[in-house]
Short mmCIF file of all heavy atoms in Angstrom, two decimals:
data_model
loop_
_atom_site.label_atom_id
_atom_site.label_comp_id
_atom_site.label_asym_id
_atom_site.label_seq_id
_atom_site.Cartn_x
_atom_site.Cartn_y
_atom_site.Cartn_z
N TRP Y 318 14.16 56.22 21.11
CA TRP Y 318 15.13 55.20 20.85
C TRP Y 318 15.56 54.88 19.43
O TRP Y 318 16.31 53.89 19.26
CB TRP Y 318 14.78 53.93 21.60
CG TRP Y 318 14.51 54.20 23.06
CD1 TRP Y 318 14.93 55.19 23.85
CD2 TRP Y 318 13.77 53.28 24.08
NE1 TRP Y 318 14.58 55.14 25.21
CE2 TRP Y 318 13.77 53.90 25.24
CE3 TRP Y 318 13.07 52.06 23.84
CZ2 TRP Y 318 13.17 53.33 26.31
CZ3 TRP Y 318 12.48 51.59 24.92
CH2 TRP Y 318 12.51 52.17 26.28
N PHE Y 319 14.99 55.50 18.52
CA PHE Y 319 15.08 55.07 17.11
C PHE Y 319 15.67 56.18 16.16
O PHE Y 319 14.93 56.36 15.12
CB PHE Y 319 13.79 54.50 16.56
CG PHE Y 319 13.39 53.19 17.29
CD1 PHE Y 319 12.68 53.25 18.46
CD2 PHE Y 319 13.81 52.01 16.91
CE1 PHE Y 319 12.26 52.12 19.13
CE2 PHE Y 319 13.35 50.82 17.48
CZ PHE Y 319 12.62 50.87 18.73
N PRO Y 320 16.67 57.04 16.58
CA PRO Y 320 17.16 57.90 15.73
C PRO Y 320 17.64 57.30 14.45
O PRO Y 320 18.07 56.16 14.52
CB PRO Y 320 18.21 58.68 16.65
CG PRO Y 320 18.64 57.71 17.41
CD PRO Y 320 17.49 56.75 17.72
N ALA Y 321 17.81 58.09 13.37
CA ALA Y 321 18.43 57.68 12.20
C ALA Y 321 19.92 57.20 12.44
O ALA Y 321 20.58 57.82 13.37
CB ALA Y 321 18.45 58.86 11.07
N GLY Y 322 20.29 56.07 11.85
CA GLY Y 322 21.72 55.68 11.94
C GLY Y 322 21.73 54.71 13.07
O GLY Y 322 22.83 54.24 13.47
N THR Y 323 20.67 54.05 13.57
CA THR Y 323 20.72 52.98 14.51
C THR Y 323 19.96 51.79 13.97
O THR Y 323 19.30 51.09 14.75
CB THR Y 323 20.03 53.40 15.89
OG1 THR Y 323 18.74 53.81 15.65
CG2 THR Y 323 20.95 54.57 16.50
N GLY Y 324 20.05 51.59 12.73
CA GLY Y 324 19.41 50.46 12.07
C GLY Y 324 20.38 49.17 11.85
O GLY Y 324 21.38 49.30 12.29
N PRO Y 325 19.76 48.32 11.19
CA PRO Y 325 20.58 47.01 10.94
C PRO Y 325 21.68 47.18 10.09
O PRO Y 325 22.62 46.32 10.13
CB PRO Y 325 19.58 46.05 10.29
CG PRO Y 325 18.47 46.91 9.69
CD PRO Y 325 18.38 48.15 10.75
N ASP Y 326 21.84 48.26 9.51
CA ASP Y 326 23.18 48.41 8.74
C ASP Y 326 24.24 48.86 9.41
O ASP Y 326 25.39 48.87 9.13
CB ASP Y 326 22.82 49.53 7.47
CG ASP Y 326 22.17 50.84 8.04
OD1 ASP Y 326 21.47 50.64 9.13
OD2 ASP Y 326 22.22 51.91 7.54
N VAL Y 327 23.85 49.26 10.73
CA VAL Y 327 24.88 49.85 11.67
C VAL Y 327 25.49 48.73 12.65
O VAL Y 327 26.60 48.54 12.99
CB VAL Y 327 24.49 51.04 12.36
CG1 VAL Y 327 25.50 51.45 13.42
CG2 VAL Y 327 24.03 52.22 11.50
N GLY Y 328 24.47 47.91 13.13
CA GLY Y 328 24.94 46.86 14.09
C GLY Y 328 23.65 45.94 14.31
O GLY Y 328 22.71 46.12 13.62
N LYS Y 329 24.01 45.00 15.27
CA LYS Y 329 22.99 43.99 15.44
C LYS Y 329 21.64 44.66 16.13
O LYS Y 329 21.85 45.18 17.18
CB LYS Y 329 23.65 42.83 16.37
CG LYS Y 329 22.79 41.73 16.39
CD LYS Y 329 23.38 40.58 17.37
CE LYS Y 329 22.43 39.41 17.48
NZ LYS Y 329 22.40 38.93 18.89
N THR Y 330 20.65 44.37 15.46
CA THR Y 330 19.39 44.89 16.04
C THR Y 330 18.09 44.16 15.37
O THR Y 330 18.43 43.52 14.29
CB THR Y 330 19.10 46.37 15.72
OG1 THR Y 330 17.87 46.84 16.28
CG2 THR Y 330 19.20 46.67 14.30
N MET Y 331 17.07 44.03 16.12
CA MET Y 331 15.95 43.38 15.66
C MET Y 331 15.03 44.44 14.82
O MET Y 331 13.99 44.01 14.29
CB MET Y 331 15.14 42.68 16.72
CG MET Y 331 15.91 41.54 17.26
SD MET Y 331 15.03 40.66 18.61
CE MET Y 331 14.13 39.43 17.60
N ALA Y 332 15.29 45.77 14.91
CA ALA Y 332 14.59 46.74 14.30
C ALA Y 332 14.80 46.52 12.73
O ALA Y 332 15.95 46.40 12.25
CB ALA Y 332 14.98 48.11 14.73
N LYS Y 333 13.67 46.56 12.04
CA LYS Y 333 13.78 46.49 10.59
C LYS Y 333 14.07 47.87 9.98
O LYS Y 333 13.70 48.90 10.63
CB LYS Y 333 12.44 46.01 10.02
CG LYS Y 333 12.17 44.48 10.12
CD LYS Y 333 10.81 44.18 9.41
CE LYS Y 333 10.45 42.81 9.67
NZ LYS Y 333 9.11 42.48 9.28
N PRO Y 334 14.61 47.87 8.74
CA PRO Y 334 14.80 49.16 8.15
C PRO Y 334 13.53 49.95 7.96
O PRO Y 334 13.58 51.15 7.91
CB PRO Y 334 15.39 48.71 6.68
CG PRO Y 334 15.98 47.35 6.81
CD PRO Y 334 15.07 46.69 7.89
N ALA Y 335 12.36 49.30 7.91
CA ALA Y 335 11.04 49.86 7.66
C ALA Y 335 10.77 50.93 8.86
O ALA Y 335 9.99 51.91 8.53
CB ALA Y 335 9.93 48.84 7.70
N VAL Y 336 11.41 50.83 9.99
CA VAL Y 336 11.30 51.86 11.04
C VAL Y 336 11.66 53.21 10.48
O VAL Y 336 10.91 54.18 10.79
CB VAL Y 336 12.21 51.44 12.29
CG1 VAL Y 336 12.20 52.66 13.18
CG2 VAL Y 336 11.76 50.22 12.91
N TRP Y 337 12.75 53.20 9.66
CA TRP Y 337 13.17 54.62 9.17
C TRP Y 337 12.69 54.83 7.74
O TRP Y 337 12.81 56.01 7.33
CB TRP Y 337 14.68 54.52 9.17
CG TRP Y 337 15.11 54.46 10.60
CD1 TRP Y 337 15.32 55.53 11.45
CD2 TRP Y 337 15.56 53.27 11.35
NE1 TRP Y 337 15.76 54.91 12.72
CE2 TRP Y 337 15.94 53.66 12.70
CE3 TRP Y 337 15.57 51.96 10.95
CZ2 TRP Y 337 16.30 52.76 13.58
CZ3 TRP Y 337 15.92 50.99 11.96
CH2 TRP Y 337 16.35 51.42 13.16
N GLN Y 338 12.06 53.93 7.12
CA GLN Y 338 11.48 54.03 5.74
C GLN Y 338 10.01 54.58 5.81
O GLN Y 338 9.62 55.14 4.85
CB GLN Y 338 11.51 52.70 5.07
CG GLN Y 338 12.99 52.32 4.61
CD GLN Y 338 13.09 50.89 4.20
OE1 GLN Y 338 12.05 50.19 4.29
NE2 GLN Y 338 14.18 50.45 3.89
N ASP Y 339 9.48 54.24 6.92
CA ASP Y 339 7.98 54.58 7.18
C ASP Y 339 7.81 55.34 8.53
O ASP Y 339 7.05 54.82 9.43
CB ASP Y 339 7.08 53.37 6.94
CG ASP Y 339 5.68 53.84 6.73
OD1 ASP Y 339 5.44 55.10 6.75
OD2 ASP Y 339 4.72 53.06 6.54
N PRO Y 340 8.52 56.50 8.82
CA PRO Y 340 8.66 57.03 10.14
C PRO Y 340 7.33 57.50 10.65
O PRO Y 340 7.01 57.40 11.77
CB PRO Y 340 9.66 58.08 10.06
CG PRO Y 340 9.70 58.39 8.50
CD PRO Y 340 9.42 57.20 7.79
N LYS Y 341 6.29 57.82 9.62
CA LYS Y 341 5.10 58.42 10.09
C LYS Y 341 4.26 57.32 10.78
O LYS Y 341 3.68 57.47 11.85
CB LYS Y 341 4.35 58.88 8.94
CG LYS Y 341 4.36 60.40 8.85
CD LYS Y 341 3.47 60.88 7.83
CE LYS Y 341 3.50 62.39 7.62
NZ LYS Y 341 2.85 62.98 6.41
N ASP Y 342 4.23 56.08 10.03
CA ASP Y 342 3.45 55.07 10.61
C ASP Y 342 4.01 54.55 11.92
O ASP Y 342 3.35 54.15 12.80
CB ASP Y 342 3.35 53.88 9.62
CG ASP Y 342 2.47 52.66 10.10
OD1 ASP Y 342 1.29 53.03 10.29
OD2 ASP Y 342 2.97 51.61 10.30
N PHE Y 343 5.41 54.37 11.90
CA PHE Y 343 6.12 53.92 13.11
C PHE Y 343 5.86 54.85 14.31
O PHE Y 343 5.49 54.49 15.37
CB PHE Y 343 7.67 53.98 12.83
CG PHE Y 343 8.40 53.46 13.96
CD1 PHE Y 343 8.40 52.12 14.41
CD2 PHE Y 343 9.27 54.25 14.80
CE1 PHE Y 343 9.13 51.59 15.42
CE2 PHE Y 343 9.95 53.76 15.80
CZ PHE Y 343 9.83 52.42 16.15
N ALA Y 344 5.73 56.13 14.07
CA ALA Y 344 5.47 57.18 15.15
C ALA Y 344 4.05 56.91 15.68
O ALA Y 344 3.78 57.11 16.74
CB ALA Y 344 5.80 58.56 14.64
N ALA Y 345 3.19 56.72 14.69
CA ALA Y 345 1.82 56.42 14.97
C ALA Y 345 1.64 55.21 15.89
O ALA Y 345 0.87 55.24 16.85
CB ALA Y 345 0.96 56.32 13.67
N LYS Y 346 2.41 54.24 15.62
CA LYS Y 346 2.42 52.93 16.36
C LYS Y 346 2.89 53.19 17.81
O LYS Y 346 2.36 52.67 18.74
CB LYS Y 346 3.07 51.84 15.66
CG LYS Y 346 2.52 51.42 14.35
CD LYS Y 346 1.62 50.24 14.40
CE LYS Y 346 1.25 49.62 13.06
NZ LYS Y 346 0.57 50.55 12.21
N MET Y 347 4.01 53.97 17.92
CA MET Y 347 4.49 54.46 19.17
C MET Y 347 3.45 55.15 20.00
O MET Y 347 3.48 54.99 21.12
CB MET Y 347 5.76 55.28 18.87
CG MET Y 347 7.08 54.52 18.68
SD MET Y 347 7.47 53.79 20.30
CE MET Y 347 9.05 53.05 19.81
N THR Y 348 2.78 56.07 19.24
CA THR Y 348 1.86 56.84 20.15
C THR Y 348 0.64 56.00 20.57
O THR Y 348 0.21 56.06 21.74
CB THR Y 348 1.17 57.88 19.14
OG1 THR Y 348 2.19 58.69 18.61
CG2 THR Y 348 0.20 58.86 19.81
N ASN Y 349 0.24 55.04 19.79
CA ASN Y 349 -0.77 54.09 20.27
C ASN Y 349 -0.20 53.16 21.58
O ASN Y 349 -0.95 53.04 22.52
CB ASN Y 349 -1.07 52.84 19.19
CG ASN Y 349 -1.81 53.55 18.05
OD1 ASN Y 349 -2.39 54.74 18.15
ND2 ASN Y 349 -1.84 52.87 16.92
N PHE Y 350 1.04 52.87 21.49
CA PHE Y 350 1.66 52.09 22.62
C PHE Y 350 1.64 53.01 23.84
O PHE Y 350 1.37 52.63 24.90
CB PHE Y 350 3.11 51.78 22.14
CG PHE Y 350 4.04 51.25 23.28
CD1 PHE Y 350 3.60 50.24 24.12
CD2 PHE Y 350 5.37 51.76 23.41
CE1 PHE Y 350 4.44 49.78 25.08
CE2 PHE Y 350 6.11 51.21 24.46
CZ PHE Y 350 5.74 50.23 25.32
N GLN Y 351 2.08 54.27 23.69
CA GLN Y 351 2.12 55.24 24.83
C GLN Y 351 0.78 55.40 25.45
O GLN Y 351 0.61 55.33 26.69
CB GLN Y 351 2.68 56.58 24.36
CG GLN Y 351 4.14 56.53 24.22
CD GLN Y 351 4.70 57.80 23.48
OE1 GLN Y 351 3.87 58.73 23.27
NE2 GLN Y 351 5.95 57.80 23.02
N LYS Y 352 -0.18 55.51 24.67
CA LYS Y 352 -1.61 55.75 25.14
C LYS Y 352 -2.08 54.38 25.86
O LYS Y 352 -2.57 54.56 26.94
CB LYS Y 352 -2.53 55.99 23.91
CG LYS Y 352 -2.52 57.36 23.43
CD LYS Y 352 -3.58 57.65 22.35
CE LYS Y 352 -3.43 58.91 21.56
NZ LYS Y 352 -4.02 59.01 20.27
N ALA Y 353 -1.78 53.35 25.30
CA ALA Y 353 -2.18 52.13 25.99
C ALA Y 353 -1.50 51.77 27.19
O ALA Y 353 -2.09 51.43 28.26
CB ALA Y 353 -2.02 50.92 24.93
N ALA Y 354 -0.20 52.23 27.33
CA ALA Y 354 0.59 52.05 28.45
C ALA Y 354 0.10 52.93 29.64
O ALA Y 354 0.00 52.62 30.74
CB ALA Y 354 2.02 52.32 28.19
N SER Y 355 -0.26 54.19 29.09
CA SER Y 355 -0.89 55.14 30.16
C SER Y 355 -2.26 54.66 30.68
O SER Y 355 -2.40 54.71 31.89
CB SER Y 355 -0.97 56.46 29.39
OG SER Y 355 -1.77 57.39 30.10
N THR Y 356 -3.10 54.08 29.84
CA THR Y 356 -4.40 53.60 30.15
C THR Y 356 -4.16 52.42 31.12
O THR Y 356 -4.89 52.29 32.15
CB THR Y 356 -5.04 53.03 28.92
OG1 THR Y 356 -5.19 54.16 28.06
CG2 THR Y 356 -6.51 52.79 29.38
#
Side-chain angles (χ1 to χ4, degrees):
Chain Y
W318 298 341
F319 296 85
T323 59
D326 48 335
V327 179
K329 195 181 169 214
T330 178
M331 294 179 92
K333 282 186 186 171
V336 168
W337 298 275
Q338 287 159 1
D339 197 354
K341 259 192 186 168
D342 183 62
F343 181 71
K346 298 266 190 298
M347 272 290 184
T348 306
N349 292 342
F350 169 48
Q351 285 168 10
K352 279 183 192 157
S355 165
T356 307

